[in-house]
Amino acid sequence: MSTNDDLPVAVLGAGIAGLVAALELQRNGYPVRVFEAAPVIAGLGGTHHDDDGFTYDMGAHFITNRLAAAIGVSGECRLVHRYGETVHLDGRYVDYPNGLLKQPRFVASALKARVSTPEGDPTTAAGRFRRDYGTALADTVALPLVEAWSGAPADELAASVADKIPTSIAHTMLLNALARATNRAISVGYCWAQPMTASVFHVYPEHGVATLCERIAEQLPGVIQVSSPVQAVIVHDGQVQAVRVHDEEIPVRAVVSTAPINVLPRLVEGSDRLDRYRRFRYRPMVLVNLKLRGRNLLSDVVVWLPTGFPFFRLTEATQSMPWLAPEDKTMVLCDIGAEVGDEHWTMDDDALGEYCVDHLEGIIPGVRERYLGCRVVRTPIAYPVYLAEYEEDRLALKESTGIDGLLSVGRHGEFSHNLMEDVYWTTIDRVHRWIADQKAGELLAIEAEERAAAVGDDEANPVVASGTRDMPRA
Amino acid sequence: MAGVAVDTGSGERLLLEHVGCPICGRTDGEPIGVGEDFEYRTAPDTFLAMRCRDCTVLYLDPRPAPDEMGRIYPDEYHAFDFTESEFGVIHKVRSRLEARRLLKCIGDVPPDARVIDVGCGDGFHLDLLRRYGRSTWSLEGVDLDPRAAAAARRRGLTVHEGTVEALGLPEAAYDVAFMIQTIEHVADPATVLRAVSRLLKPGGRLIVVTDNTGSPDFRVFRRRHWGGYHFPRHFSLFNDRSIRKLAGRTGLEVVGVETIVSPVNWVYSIRNLLDDYGAPEGLVSHFTLSSPAALSVFTVFDTAFTMAGKGALIRAELRRPA
């Protein structure tokens, strides 16, 4: 049976999910090889430091003390004292969620939605938000944001888009009050795989988010190959056999992929089971990070902009992590939902900076005088788009890819809105589901052998004849 | 259970290593508590108490690497020197209570019994056996830490310095062994229990006392401030089920498991909470080993829980098969 037991497990991608999977497999005695297409590790979890003393991470990351402790980087993290979100509506800031609840029109429509009895569960995001929040709040705030962020009409999005909103208003308010009392940014809604409690709060690595991947990679010496895109995953009879890298076929025991789920079918040779995932869409984004003079230019760390701006969200990370920019300077990240090749995607970097500054004047007075330059990142896979038309396939993916020995993990691989800590725990969970299957298989093989041995006829039984193979460790 | 170093150890950070469940080796534990070294502040790191999904044992993962022991057990560590001059009336009361417990455990042993206390610290319990037990007993201690061993020797006790696995003590020679609040500190509890088991005569008994994760104080404070975590010095923490499972794995018979009264984890949980949220030092200092009021109140409190089988400590009586 154990012909492929010594073969490595191939991990596609050296971002946080791939590295966590590789380390977990290694800890359990499985040889691993990590193939990273880029010349550096970390993927979306990378950090860039510029000559002016700014530290940029790719997008926004939420790291808790629990995640930092699990990875062993807590000693390099600093406490985040504050985190908050505001909605910018009709030219002014409204607190989220308390401020919204103070507006009579929203309360009235939310109450109306509560008392009316809807027939069945809504199947689209539009229906779900209108039912949960009432029409006024949904149509004014939630749906425009969801549409800007996903690039799809809310009545084509699955209702599950709304799944990850804080547990209950009471719980959220309690944790927020505790956060103020303890001067810690208690994590509310940034990890769903583990309990949300007052003892789990935001921290952030002193030198940027890349610290996490670096720490894990240190424990995988000789395992990670950069600049090595996997060209193909070779499948036979519904079972992974090998990967092709640099035109060489490498036999493997299993494959853990972190590739976007709509890319993976193009890599798989010998099975069409993943073809249904080709139609899955990710929302591309243009992320424009403006360097500005001054501090605390926004009302809160995150400001949501449902209408009236080309960007739907602004983030001033220095309000939470003051050490990421020189003392008298700050960064404001503008998230522009885009399509590959559209006018924002193709605009050159300096022009994008100017364009954002022009639009920010109404929110940050005097922004032009503060403007020092920008850094632009374009990503074709910022967010998975949960379209209602493929919701069923998305849910099936949570169970398995349908190919033996092929796991798809991480934010892109699971096609989920998971944040960093969720990626960590769900990846470990998936790897262990696979390990449990392997062990069950070994047990079955041993039992079969024992039964055969009990029959006592060596010649007639090929399993016993090959019985000198290494016994799996108990 | 070879660990993998996850830190270069530069600066103030601790060198950490990853480990799995101390009983079955599984590595996909459930994170239960996340906290810091509230008591001694020996490191800036945050620690995670994981619970094995099979064994229910709690374990620190990642945890300080062996090279860091000198740092996480600072010179002022209480187990090195719990003296009468330092702790006064508390020392007297605790001595009486502990002596009675010890003698009850030791029960019916021959006059020439050989007794060993593994993880004896400053020799507090051995000293009690010497004072209140039979003068014909032969008493020995083992402790890994030279500072603890020196403190015990100052009391005139016989102490072997090193680990019980490596010392080469005589096998099948001891009637009774104690591990009192030791098992939670050791890197590999199963190996230590096997080693202690070999020292025992067939039928000889091992008394293990450790913090109970099946207690109400654990339930209330487990997310962060529980005194029993003692971050980062308690590597494995047990309940009734997991201590039995560990014993089973190491070939020891379980004579009985019960819980016993201790105010310490209640008092330290409150201390840690106050300290964590920046309470004034004057208030925090009322919740330590040197605060008679808090200790008395919570002794009464925990007595009630112990009567319901949920005391703060667990005591397992194990036996090497005859």
Side-chain angles (χ1 to χ4, degrees), chain A residues 23-24 26-28 65-76 182 184 194-195 197-201 215 218-219 421 424-425 428-429 432 435, chain B residues 4-8 13 16 18-20 25-32 34-36 44-48 50 53 59 61-62 223-225 276-277:
Chain A
L23 182 60
E24 202 54 28
Q26 179 180 276
R27 286 178 72 183
N28 283 274
N65 56 338
R66 182 171 53 199
L67 176 63
I71 293 179
V73 295
S74 60
E76 286 139 287
T182 59
R184 287 170 197 172
Q194 301 297 343
T197 81
S199 63
V200 177
F201 41 82
R215 176 55 37 83
E218 279 169 23
Q219 299 163 75
E421 191 179 356
Y424 182 83
W425 299 115
I428 287 178
D429 182 54
H432 277 271
I435 290 173
Chain B
V4 182
V6 298
D7 201 322
T8 54
R13 288 174 282 131
L16 300 172
H18 271 306
V19 293
R26 264 183 86 151
T27 61
D28 62 335
E30 183 189 352
I32 300 294
V34 52
E36 291 141 36
D45 306 74
T46 296
F47 303 96
L48 195 56
M50 305 286 277
R53 291 165 203 271
Y59 58 98
D61 174 38
R223 291 289 174 210
R224 183 162 175 83
H225 300 113
D276 186 29
Y277 293 138

Side-chain angles (χ1 to χ4, degrees), chain B residues 103 123-135 137 139 152-158:
Chain B
L103 293 172
F124 175 73
H125 294 100
L126 285 173
D127 186 46
L128 293 177
L129 287 171
R130 184 173 58 182
R131 276 157 55 191
Y132 299 99
R134 288 202 195 191
S135 58
W137 288 344
L139 305 171
R153 285 191 189 119
R154 279 197 296 276
R155 297 177 186 248
L157 295 161
T158 306

Side-chain angles (χ1 to χ4, degrees), chain A residues 129-384:
Chain A
F129 279 117
R130 285 185 184 127
R131 188 198 66 179
D132 289 357
Y133 293 166
T135 316
L137 188 51
D139 289 355
T140 318
V141 181
L143 298 182
L145 282 175
V146 162
E147 293 186 342
W149 156 78
S150 66
D155 56 6
E156 289 178 21
L157 290 166
S160 55
V161 165
D163 278 352
K164 292 191 174 178
I165 37 186
T167 47
S168 71
I169 290 178
H171 193 200
T172 305
M173 285 166 81
L174 171 71
L175 292 177
N176 285 341
L178 284 169
R180 276 191 297 276
T182 59
N183 194 25
R184 287 170 197 172
I186 292 172
S187 170
V188 184
Y190 292 94
C191 174
W192 298 86
Q194 301 297 343
M196 220 181 279
T197 81
S199 63
V200 177
F201 41 82
H202 296 288
V203 299
Y204 208 79
E206 178 133 34
H207 300 293
V209 70
T211 305
L212 277 73
C213 284
E214 286 162 9
R215 176 55 37 83
I216 304 170
E218 279 169 23
Q219 299 163 75
L220 294 162
V223 161
I224 304 165
Q225 254 176 273
V226 295
S227 304
S228 303
V230 169
Q231 298 157 312
V233 173
I234 296 151
V235 175
H236 186 68
D237 275 348
Q239 163 80 44
V240 165
Q241 305 291 327
V243 292
R244 191 180 314 121
V245 181
H246 297 306
D247 297 323
E248 185 199 344
E249 218 166 270
I250 302 166
V252 294
R253 178 168 179 164
V255 165
V256 179
S257 169
T258 66
I261 195 65
N262 59 0
V263 171
L264 190 57
R266 281 183 251 155
L267 298 179
V268 170
E269 287 178 9
S271 171
D272 57 9
R273 281 185 205 172
L274 297 188
D275 283 357
R276 56 186 163 157
Y277 298 121
R278 284 175 190 262
R279 67 192 204 282
F280 280 32
R281 269 169 45 191
Y282 295 81
R283 171 65 155 171
M285 264 181 211
V286 177
L287 312 173
V288 185
N289 221 328
L290 305 175
K291 296 198 271 189
L292 301 166
R293 249 187 290 277
R295 278 274 166 128
N296 301 323
L297 303 181
L298 298 178
S299 72
D300 230 321
V301 183
V302 169
V303 174
W304 295 95
L305 305 158
T307 47
F309 295 91
F311 22 78
F312 67 96
R313 179 173 57 193
L314 300 171
T315 308
E316 188 178 8
T318 55
Q319 290 195 26
S320 283
M321 288 84 75
W323 63 92
L324 296 183
E327 252 176 44
D328 53 344
K329 300 189 179 79
T330 191
M331 292 177 286
V332 170
L333 174 67
C334 311
D335 292 354
I336 305 175
E339 294 306 324
V340 173
D342 73 5
E343 65 164 318
H344 294 130
W345 188 269
T346 50
M347 208 181 274
D348 86 52
D349 291 6
D350 290 339
L352 270 168
E354 295 292 331
Y355 175 78
C356 289
V357 167
D358 285 345
H359 282 88
L360 274 174
E361 197 59 51
I363 299 175
I364 305 174
V367 64
R368 180 148 299 282
E369 286 70 52
R370 298 178 180 278
Y371 182 54
L372 299 166
C374 72
R375 182 169 185 272
V376 178
V377 173
R378 293 170 187 79
T379 170
I381 50 170
Y383 285 95

Side-chain angles (χ1 to χ4, degrees), chain B residues 147-168:
Chain B
R147 294 162 295 182
R153 285 191 189 119
R154 279 197 296 276
R155 297 177 186 248
L157 295 161
T158 306
V159 180
H160 308 282
E161 188 181 314
T163 64
V164 71
E165 312 91 279
L167 274 168

